[in-house]
Amino acid sequence: MVRCVVIAGLALAMGATGSPLSAAERDYCPDRPGIGNPTCTMEVGATSVEVGLADWSRDSMGVADRTTDLALGDILVRRGVADRAEVQLGWTSFGRHFERDSVGTRSQSGMGDIFVAFRRNMMNPDGSGTSLAVMVQGTIPTGGAAIGAGDWSAGLEVPMSFELNDHLSFALMPSVEAAVDEDRSGRHLAYANVIGLTDKMSDHLSATLEYQVERDRDPSGHQTFHVAGFSMGLQPDDDLQFDIGVNAGLNHAATDVEIYAGISRRF
């Protein structure tokens, strides 16, 4: 109930302050779905409210050892503050972490950390043609032990996209991060790259294939993660999108599977 009130309140507040977009010059370009982020930015005065309705993942570490995570109400608000710039604020309203091993089972639940970001587009802010952006981001440790990191983090992403023809586009997103240590205190270097291929199947439907490789240099042990993702977005009108997606770990270190769905609305 609280999550519904929060989501509705954000939507109404942004709708009241945002400009009507029935005649918007740019196509709606949500961050959702997928692993990587787009190059596009919101128009000045326009707001996008993007909600992960549910995100479920499972990771097996042996015959008896397994962890599952569930996040509900993962909210991201994006606001255009200049012709090529936007600010972002995100928060996960509820998360549950469950562990099972030979000793027994344990579970924790709570809220997530606050996410803040600034994206500056350098070329084609609507994401068309060849487009480039720079994004700085960070997290504020407001969450609990269940899904909160325990300390602040900061990172830099450089999304790039290239239109191959009328319906296919290729994307890259190298990134570097001062990630929180596994013991929830202090930071270490992590870096990654995401490559993706998007097929705009129609004016309303698109599908994306992605691959991510990430190197995490946590003091407890360095690891490399390989993940493949598939997602689809359906836009029934100019300012609304529904999405679904699935990610699959390609090596032992990566999470086995993640399934998610969400909705995005421009005001």
Side-chain angles (χ1 to χ4, degrees):
M1 185 64 174
V2 173
R3 294 191 298 275
C4 295
V5 172
V6 170
I7 295 169
L10 280 170
L12 290 173
M14 296 305 170
T17 58
S19 57
L21 292 186
S22 57
E25 295 181 2
R26 296 180 193 170
D27 291 340
Y28 185 28
C29 180
D31 271 25
R32 299 183 58 87
I35 302 172
N37 287 318
T39 59
C40 58
T41 55
M42 301 299 296
E43 293 179 293
V44 178
T47 300
S48 176
V49 179
E50 308 179 18
V51 181
L53 300 176
D55 187 317
W56 176 87
S57 62
R58 186 189 70 185
D59 192 22
S60 298
M61 293 157 285
V63 176
D65 297 351
R66 176 181 296 176
T67 65
T68 59
D69 290 277
L70 175 67
L72 303 174
D74 188 3
I75 305 165
L76 177 68
V77 179
R78 301 165 56 206
R79 177 79 172 178
V81 294
D83 183 55
R84 294 173 179 267
E86 70 178 32
V87 294
Q88 301 184 3
L89 179 66
W91 177 62
T92 302
S93 59
F94 176 81
R96 180 176 181 268
H97 176 76
F98 177 84
E99 297 181 11
R100 186 186 71 184
D101 55 27
S102 58
V103 177
T105 61
R106 297 170 297 282
S107 66
Q108 291 179 303
S109 60
M111 299 182 298
D113 297 333
I114 291 176
F115 170 85
V116 293
F118 175 80
R119 180 183 296 157
R120 175 68 163 86
N121 179 274
M122 303 298 181
M123 185 186 303
N124 292 329
D126 62 353
S128 64
T130 298
S131 187
L132 171 69
V134 175
M135 181 170 165
V136 291
Q137 62 184 46
T139 58
I140 303 170
T142 57
I147 60 173
D151 207 339
W152 64 267
S153 68
L156 173 69
E157 298 178 352
V158 185
M160 295 171 271
S161 62
F162 312 88
E163 286 189 350
L164 304 179
N165 54 39
D166 291 341
H167 63 94
L168 286 177
S169 61
F170 176 74
L172 291 169
M173 196 192 75
S175 63
V176 62
E177 181 183 11
V180 180
D181 292 348
E182 187 176 349
D183 65 6
R184 300 173 54 84
S185 179
R187 278 152 297 281
H188 63 273
L189 176 66
Y191 47 93
N193 196 11
V194 180
I195 62 174
L197 183 67
T198 297
D199 184 358
K200 189 175 181 181
M201 304 167 69
S202 71
D203 290 340
H204 303 287
L205 184 65
S206 63
T208 301
L209 282 171
E210 293 175 290
Y211 165 72
Q212 180 189 44
V213 56
E214 178 183 1
R215 181 63 174 170
D216 186 276
R217 299 173 64 88
D218 191 279
S220 65
H222 298 184
Q223 296 188 88
T224 301
F225 306 94
H226 297 274
V227 178
F230 175 74
S231 59
M232 299 186 73
L234 173 66
Q235 293 192 3
D237 63 44
D238 292 341
D239 302 318
L240 178 66
Q241 177 182 274
F242 300 96
D243 68 74
I244 57 172
V246 57
N247 298 328
L250 301 179
N251 67 336
H252 179 72
T255 298
D256 293 342
V257 63
E258 177 184 12
I259 303 171
Y260 59 89
I263 181 172
S264 304
R265 182 76 165 87
R266 176 169 61 176
F267 296 91

